[in-house]
Amino acid sequence: MQIDYLADRPEHLRTLAEWFDAQWKHVLPDRTVETYVERFRTHMNRREMPLTLVAHQDGEALGTASLRTNDMTSRPEHTPWLGGVYVAAPHRRRGISAALIAAVEDRARELGATVLYLYTVDKESYYRGLGWEFVEHTEYLAQTVAVMRKPL
């Protein structure tokens, strides 16, 4: 498995957009595959946010994660954010998400960040296991989420 910038693997852009549309349609019903394609185009950076990483092997996308200036509009004081962590179902439980998260943490450090934030609906214990700290529970996009942080 390799992890590269989406900017270096644009052939996976549509796959990522399709994953996001299927995974988060219930939360963001106004978004479409094309909306996500356009959003991912803005993430095709290497040295500035937003940027997206893609895990891939033998020409197949396995998962993705992004580094964003802000991922939660109700918490603009927190920056930057880990967001959009997703691993395709057939490839889960193989350490891919942990590798993607670590890679995003590394990119955040390279860009000068000293702390990184995320929000999650149901993976709080997973992130705690990766060294993330709980900040608060709050409502966001009609869901209760845990906001977490990780000192870098």
Side-chain angles (χ1 to χ4, degrees):
M1 176 189 76
Q2 290 181 272
I3 297 176
D4 290 312
Y5 293 101
L6 179 59
D8 297 325
R9 297 292 177 190
E11 67 271 20
H12 298 304
L13 189 147
R14 181 158 289 277
T15 298
L16 274 56
E18 290 169 356
W19 287 346
F20 275 48
D21 184 59
Q23 181 69 26
W24 288 292
K25 183 61 100 181
H26 69 288
V27 178
L28 299 163
D30 294 339
R31 292 196 182 167
T32 65
V33 171
E34 291 309 315
T35 304
Y36 286 112
V37 165
E38 291 309 310
R39 182 173 173 135
F40 276 119
R41 284 188 205 285
T42 70
H43 284 65
M44 295 182 78
N45 299 306
R46 294 177 192 88
R47 308 244 185 286
E48 65 183 12
M49 293 180 275
L51 62 84
T52 292
L53 301 177
V54 60
H56 59 96
Q57 186 171 16
D58 300 325
E60 180 183 8
L62 309 175
T64 187
S66 295
L67 176 62
R68 302 175 180 145
T69 302
N70 192 293
D71 200 37
M72 193 172 184
T73 57
S74 61
R75 297 293 183 271
E77 69 277 12
H78 298 323
T79 190
W81 291 75
L82 165 69
V85 178
Y86 182 85
V87 174
H91 306 291
R92 293 180 184 159
R93 305 213 180 272
R94 294 177 26 203
I96 296 168
S97 65
L100 282 161
I101 292 163
V104 168
E105 292 169 3
D106 289 343
R107 297 320 183 280
R109 273 188 215 91
E110 290 168 8
L111 293 175
T114 58
V115 65
L116 192 57
Y117 294 89
L118 67 78
Y119 74 87
T120 181
V121 174
D122 59 356
K123 301 288 186 235
E124 185 177 338
S125 63
Y126 175 75
Y127 286 106
R128 281 185 193 267
L130 296 176
W132 290 74
E133 305 167 348
F134 173 79
V135 173
E136 68 174 322
H137 284 121
T138 189
E139 293 295 313
Y140 189 64
L141 298 175
Q143 304 176 97
T144 300
V145 301
V147 177
M148 303 183 80
R149 68 187 296 273
K150 185 170 188 180
L152 302 175

